[in-house]
Amino acid sequence: MKIGTQRCMIAALVIAASGFGTISAASAQSCQELWVERNSYYKEAGYCFKTSRAISYFGNGGCIYDIEAQVPLPREIRARIAEITRIERRMGCN
């Protein structure tokens, strides 16, 4: 992915995590959609997935971070991930 494209993607993710319509949109998302959104943030930041489900869906090409907590994510994205995790728990997602 080109650097300009990656920056645009990160900017879009920050905007999405900033709160513009995310609460109603998040509550309407399925478990799969929530899982994909949450893990897309990690994929874009270079996380090396551990589960077969995530590796199968996203792959590990270009990954550089083995420890989830060390993945450099903006505060807004971490807040969105926490929100998604709460919604997933509330919905009983696996």
Side-chain angles (χ1 to χ4, degrees):
M1 178 181 294
K2 293 182 180 178
I3 291 176
T5 304
Q6 187 176 17
R7 286 184 183 152
C8 288
M9 182 66 132
I10 291 171
L13 295 174
V14 169
I15 290 168
S18 67
F20 295 125
T22 57
I23 294 174
S24 60
S27 61
Q29 288 179 285
S30 70
C31 288
Q32 174 67 14
E33 291 167 329
L34 290 165
W35 180 86
V36 169
E37 181 185 348
R38 178 171 49 81
N39 284 291
S40 291
Y41 297 123
Y42 288 109
K43 173 64 177 176
E44 289 298 320
Y47 179 63
C48 300
F49 293 103
K50 307 289 186 279
T51 67
S52 58
R53 178 184 179 192
I55 293 168
S56 176
Y57 191 91
F58 293 102
N60 268 339
C63 73
I64 53 176
Y65 299 100
D66 289 321
I67 300 170
E68 188 176 298
Q70 292 179 347
V71 177
L73 293 168
R75 185 176 350 171
E76 297 86 5
I77 297 297
R78 290 227 181 255
R80 176 64 182 147
I81 289 170
E83 177 185 25
I84 292 169
T85 302
R86 285 189 299 274
I87 295 167
E88 287 175 315
R89 277 193 212 114
R90 188 171 57 237
M91 291 175 59
C93 300
N94 294 335

